[in-house]
Amino acid sequence: MKPEEKSDAKQTPNNWQKTISWILAVVALVYDFSPVDIVPDGIPAAGWLDDIMVTVLAGLNLLQQYSRDGHPTASRILKRLKWGCVVVSVIVVAILALAVYGIISLFN
């Protein structure tokens, strides 16, 4: 196998991951402007939280994929930021769900 073929074969999965990242970024933007949401936008703060979360995660994923080749340290930092955002988002959603449950329990 020639060295050029080896480097091309090595870059193919990374190009595939970049393509998937772009698709996810476009889907995130479509989700932002779509009237169908996980949490309706009419709910103050929580309604926009899911839109922001989806967009930030897609953006961090895209940046991570593009920083892999030239800046592996930046890629690792972006990966940790991305997973940190996932953890914070899950905690915030759990707190909001508990708050809603508590408010509903008060009136029953």
Side-chain angles (χ1 to χ4, degrees):
M1 181 182 265
K2 295 180 183 179
E4 300 91 32
E5 291 176 10
K6 189 174 184 180
S7 66
D8 288 342
K10 191 175 184 179
Q11 290 177 354
T12 304
N14 198 13
N15 288 338
W16 175 248
Q17 291 171 342
K18 287 179 184 177
T19 304
I20 294 294
S21 294
W22 273 108
I23 291 170
L24 289 175
V26 169
V27 168
L29 288 175
V30 168
Y31 177 78
D32 287 343
F33 293 106
S34 169
V36 178
D37 279 340
I38 294 171
V39 179
D41 289 338
I43 300 172
W48 289 353
L49 181 66
D50 67 327
D51 294 341
I52 292 169
M53 177 187 67
V54 167
T55 305
V56 167
L57 289 174
L60 286 173
N61 190 41
L62 189 63
L63 288 172
Q64 178 193 357
Q65 295 304 320
Y66 275 92
S67 66
R68 269 189 178 172
D69 297 334
H71 305 286
T73 304
S75 178
R76 285 193 300 270
I77 291 170
L78 288 166
K79 183 178 180 180
R80 288 187 180 130
L81 273 174
K82 182 175 65 174
W83 285 107
C85 285
V86 168
V87 169
V88 168
S89 298
V90 167
I91 290 171
V92 168
V93 167
I95 289 171
L96 288 172
L98 287 172
V100 168
Y101 176 75
I103 292 170
I104 291 172
S105 295
L106 285 174
F107 292 109
N108 284 334

